[in-house]
Amino acid sequence: MKRRRFLAKASATALSPLAFPAVVRCAAPNSKLQVASIGVARMGGNTMRSVSTHGKVQIVALCDVDERHLAQGAREFPKARRFRDWRDLLANHADQFDAITIGTPDHMHAPMAVLALRARKHVYLQKPMAPTVHECRVIAREAAKAGVVTQLGNQGRSSIESRLMIELLRTKAIGPIKEVILWENKPLNWWPANTNLRKRSDPIPTGLDWDAWLGVRDARPYHDSTYHPQFWRAWRDFGVGELGDMGCHHFDSTVDGLNLAPPSASARPPRASPAKASGRSSAGWSSNSADKPPTT
């Protein structure tokens, strides 16, 4: 299918616990919340398993572009139906589940989340919400219209450490804040072993639907140790680098505790590559809140 037709067709067809305990309370007594999972390996698999630990949740559908991941998920949830195409899951089987978890590369978050919300499904979406501000705003608007329960998978958000930090900031326990410095020293385990984007494709692994993995992005050759399954975050077409990996966690408590508005100015080094995110870099923002001078 042509890339330019991908979203158009998906939108047309879709229209013809973590946070899930709140959803479960809405279910009929003695019933189980039926949950489908798109992306069932790595972080997506962790989300699926976490949700499944709730006594009133049943994983009923697994969806992944990689047969190896589906096989792994099926060993844990043998009664769940298996799907290779998320569009098929939402367009033709949406009446068989109540909620959905999405744990895929960042570039597919928006199309999957939007169509799930239009199908009136409760959504647990892994962070970052999407690669662009526009996509994030579209998802937020669709969630408001759908009137369902949603949560962004920003692990640590509800931890006692995070809540205490936010309370300290809100009560001005440490005085006025003029500058916040955040850093991360986690090894970049998502940095690709190969960064040579040759025109000739490597053999596509058996069971991987490479075209479906690319989704809304332009076609390109498959290369080993470059994109799938864990190196996509380094490429601007598929992820947003360290800001989308650990930045989401660090910014979250600061923005909440200081009641920061969207940034009014930014300063960051020039891109090292138009295709790749920087492995290690620094960036700065200035922002205002309702009752404070600009914070950087």
Side-chain angles (χ1 to χ4, degrees):
M1 181 183 295
K2 296 288 187 181
R3 286 277 146 351
R4 61 179 176 270
R5 295 185 55 212
F6 187 98
L7 274 179
K9 181 174 180 180
S11 298
T13 54
L15 292 178
S16 60
L18 299 154
F20 281 22
V23 182
V24 172
R25 288 195 293 272
C26 300
N30 303 318
S31 68
K32 286 195 173 185
L33 188 77
Q34 311 295 295
V35 177
S37 292
I38 305 178
V40 299
R42 304 183 66 80
M43 202 62 221
N46 291 341
T47 298
M48 175 180 64
R49 284 186 289 273
S50 295
V51 168
S52 73
T53 61
H54 194 287
K56 287 197 172 184
V57 165
Q58 182 175 2
I59 304 296
V60 297
L62 313 174
C63 184
D64 205 289
V65 298
D66 194 325
E67 283 283 6
R68 295 169 297 181
H69 296 170
L70 277 178
Q72 176 185 335
R75 286 192 290 271
E76 299 180 72
F77 304 98
K79 294 182 180 180
R81 293 190 62 183
R82 286 182 267 180
F83 297 85
R84 297 291 301 278
D85 191 330
W86 63 275
R87 296 166 299 176
D88 176 36
L89 172 68
L90 283 169
N92 301 317
H93 306 276
D95 60 340
Q96 299 172 20
F97 59 92
D98 311 299
I100 196 164
T101 67
I102 300 173
T104 66
D106 300 348
H107 71 291
M108 293 305 295
H109 284 190
M112 291 176 176
V114 166
L115 296 187
L117 290 166
R118 289 179 179 175
R120 297 297 189 269
K121 301 303 172 186
H122 307 292
V123 175
Y124 183 96
L125 177 63
Q126 266 300 334
K127 60 82 184 167
M129 185 182 293
T132 68
V133 173
H134 170 71
E135 288 173 301
C136 292
R137 289 172 175 167
V138 170
I139 293 172
R141 285 198 300 266
E142 292 293 338
K145 288 191 294 184
V148 295
V149 176
T150 62
Q151 183 172 343
L152 185 66
N154 213 3
Q155 285 71 33
R157 177 72 161 105
S158 301
S159 69
I160 186 62
E161 293 85 2
S162 176
R163 303 315 304 168
L164 178 59
M165 172 184 164
I166 291 171
E167 189 63 22
L168 290 172
L169 293 176
R170 287 178 177 175
T171 58
K172 303 180 182 180
I174 59 175
I177 305 295
K178 296 182 179 179
E179 182 178 28
V180 179
I181 301 174
L182 306 170
W183 67 92
E184 175 58 51
N185 63 356
K186 172 186 172 183
L188 297 181
N189 56 7
W190 44 261
W191 194 255
N194 171 63
T195 57
N196 179 21
L197 303 184
R198 306 174 301 279
K199 292 185 178 181
R200 177 176 296 181
S201 174
D202 291 332
I204 298 174
T206 301
L208 173 64
D209 187 336
W210 177 236
D211 186 66
W213 190 96
L214 289 170
V216 295
R217 296 297 188 241
D218 291 336
R220 68 201 66 200
Y222 170 85
H223 297 307
D224 289 328
S225 303
T226 307
Y227 304 112
H228 179 72
Q230 72 184 73
F231 305 118
W232 49 267
R233 197 182 296 279
W235 303 96
R236 296 188 186 279
D237 267 356
F238 307 115
V240 288
E242 187 73 346
L243 292 180
D245 183 19
M246 298 305 296
C248 293
H249 298 296
H250 297 318
F251 298 144
D252 180 51
S253 297
T254 302
V255 171
D256 191 359
L258 295 177
N259 189 29
L260 296 180
S264 56
S266 64
R268 59 185 306 172
R271 291 183 175 185
S273 162
K276 296 196 302 293
S278 299
R280 291 295 184 193
S281 63
S282 61
W285 291 269
S286 293
S287 181
N288 294 317
S289 62
D291 57 351
K292 299 180 181 68
T295 301
T296 60

